[in-house]
Amino acid sequence: MAIPDLMPHPVAAKYAVLVDVGYLYAAAGEVLLAAKERKEYRVAADELIQSLQKHAEARISGELLRIYWYDAARDRVPTVDQRVIAQLPWVKVRLGNLNARGQQKGVDAQIRSDLEALARHHAVTDTILLAGDEDMVPAVEAAQAYGVRIHLWGVEPPYGTNQAERLVWESDTVEVISADFLRPFFSAVLPSLSRSPHPPPRPRPRRSSPGAPPVKPHAKPGQVAKLGPSRPRVEDVGEHVAQKWILTRGRDNIRDLLPGPILPTVIDTELLIEAEKELGHSLRPYPEARVWLRDGFWARVYREFDLGVGVSSK
């Protein structure tokens, strides 16, 4: 008769990473660039998230549930960067509101709610919390009461501390992310990208004459290629989409695309879809037309911010 195995089996760890982006960016901006506002620097957020994920994998032997990315936006309308981040695998973007004074509202409440819910439903055994606010303490204590271990991460401060003392006390483990770890992902905004009160006149990009022939798609042997739209028409549509985005998504969000001229894949796809709606047919068989579309888009964006513009010669 076989003897039953009565020894307890270890439970595989499953963990989540909760990131207070406001704290992370502000603390990193201060220690790396002595910056006081987010508009003073740019962040390679997708690369940063991947590095944080790898850092977590090296610390906890288990399965990642997902990374929660808590940020804020005006009227909770995501910025260009936030839309790109939301497309990343294993990442869930949570947005609070950003008021007229640049203050985040509702972000801490979302973090506390998710932290407690994950613990209450036994979705995780461990949670990495990258935050610094003492408001997190009740949620940390509640999660621990359900058996979840809390691993607090902070950003290296230029001096003193940038995390609440009680939050540090209540966490199970504490780690400080070094400035050297974060440095590759943060860069200062160049002064030339700021709007000048008296900018010099900038020439508009030269365009093909109204009689420019329409573009032909690449056709397979034996097929007749259909004519596509002309360059002036496609550039006009690109400008129109840019103008609409400036009005609906806001100048600050469009400014995030600068200096260009490369668009994030997600945004480039949105531009193509919007343009095809305007034109009433697909541009995908016409590679040259897609270049012209981007030319028109950037021409409008650069004029909005009084920057010089270069146009493709295609």
Side-chain angles (χ1 to χ4, degrees):
M1 180 177 176
I3 300 175
D5 184 3
L6 301 179
M7 294 295 293
H9 294 279
V11 177
K14 179 176 282 189
Y15 64 95
V17 181
L18 280 60
V19 180
D20 182 346
V21 179
Y23 163 76
L24 170 60
Y25 281 13
E30 181 182 18
V31 70
L32 295 173
L33 304 166
K36 300 300 182 184
E37 298 181 18
R38 191 183 294 194
K39 65 182 180 181
E40 298 177 47
Y41 50 85
R42 298 190 184 283
V43 185
D46 53 344
E47 297 175 13
L48 173 59
I49 290 171
Q50 291 173 14
S51 290
L52 289 174
Q53 181 175 340
K54 291 178 181 178
H55 197 68
E57 290 171 353
R59 297 299 186 275
I60 300 180
S61 178
E63 178 187 356
L64 171 67
L65 176 65
R66 67 181 58 91
I67 296 174
Y68 291 83
W69 193 255
Y70 299 92
D71 206 354
R74 295 192 186 281
D75 300 321
R76 290 187 169 87
V77 176
T79 66
V80 170
D81 285 345
Q82 290 163 349
R83 295 164 73 91
V84 171
I85 294 167
Q87 300 290 328
L88 298 176
W90 316 115
V91 177
K92 181 174 285 295
V93 173
R94 298 278 208 212
L95 292 180
N97 191 40
L98 193 66
N99 66 21
R101 290 182 287 182
Q103 298 170 323
Q104 295 186 356
K105 299 295 181 181
V107 174
D108 286 355
Q110 288 183 325
I111 299 176
R112 293 195 301 267
S113 176
D114 284 342
L115 181 56
E116 292 184 34
L118 289 170
R120 185 171 63 253
H121 295 293
H122 306 290
V124 294
T125 59
D126 296 76
T127 295
I128 294 172
L129 177 63
L130 206 171
D133 200 320
E134 188 170 349
D135 288 349
M136 297 295 112
V137 170
V140 166
E141 293 176 327
Q144 289 170 327
Y146 285 107
V148 173
R149 294 178 289 263
I150 304 298
H151 308 278
L152 181 67
W153 287 5
V155 174
E156 176 186 338
Y159 53 86
T161 182
N162 54 24
Q163 290 177 292
E165 188 175 41
R166 190 170 166 222
L167 179 61
V168 173
W169 290 350
E170 297 299 336
S171 300
D172 294 297
T173 68
V174 178
E175 180 176 348
V176 175
I177 304 297
S178 71
D180 288 339
F181 177 94
L182 297 168
R183 185 168 285 110
F185 313 109
F186 287 77
S187 58
V189 173
L190 299 176
S192 60
L193 296 183
S194 60
R195 188 180 178 92
S196 171
H198 301 290
R202 303 285 184 179
R204 290 194 58 177
R206 291 186 300 171
R207 290 194 175 178
S208 305
S209 63
V215 64
K216 292 183 180 181
H218 297 292
K220 296 179 180 179
Q223 292 182 336
V224 178
K226 296 181 180 179
L227 293 179
S230 65
R231 178 168 186 162
R233 171 62 176 145
V234 176
E235 287 182 340
D236 284 340
V237 170
E239 291 203 30
H240 179 73
V241 173
Q243 174 66 17
K244 183 166 67 173
W245 285 9
I246 290 168
L247 293 175
T248 58
R249 301 184 182 184
R251 293 181 79 256
D252 289 343
N253 291 345
I254 300 302
R255 189 193 296 271
D256 289 342
L257 295 172
L258 295 173
I262 304 300
L263 286 169
T265 302
V266 173
I267 305 303
D268 192 49
T269 302
E270 289 187 20
L271 171 61
L272 176 63
I273 293 171
E274 290 269 3
E276 289 176 338
K277 289 178 182 178
E278 294 275 344
L279 291 165
H281 58 80
S282 175
L283 288 179
R284 298 170 204 233
Y286 311 101
E288 296 90 346
R290 296 194 64 174
V291 174
W292 301 342
L293 176 65
R294 298 182 188 111
D295 285 347
F297 178 88
W298 284 115
R300 179 66 190 88
V301 172
Y302 288 152
R303 289 203 310 278
E304 179 69 20
F305 296 97
D306 296 318
L307 299 176
V309 58
V311 183
S312 169
S313 59
K314 292 186 179 181

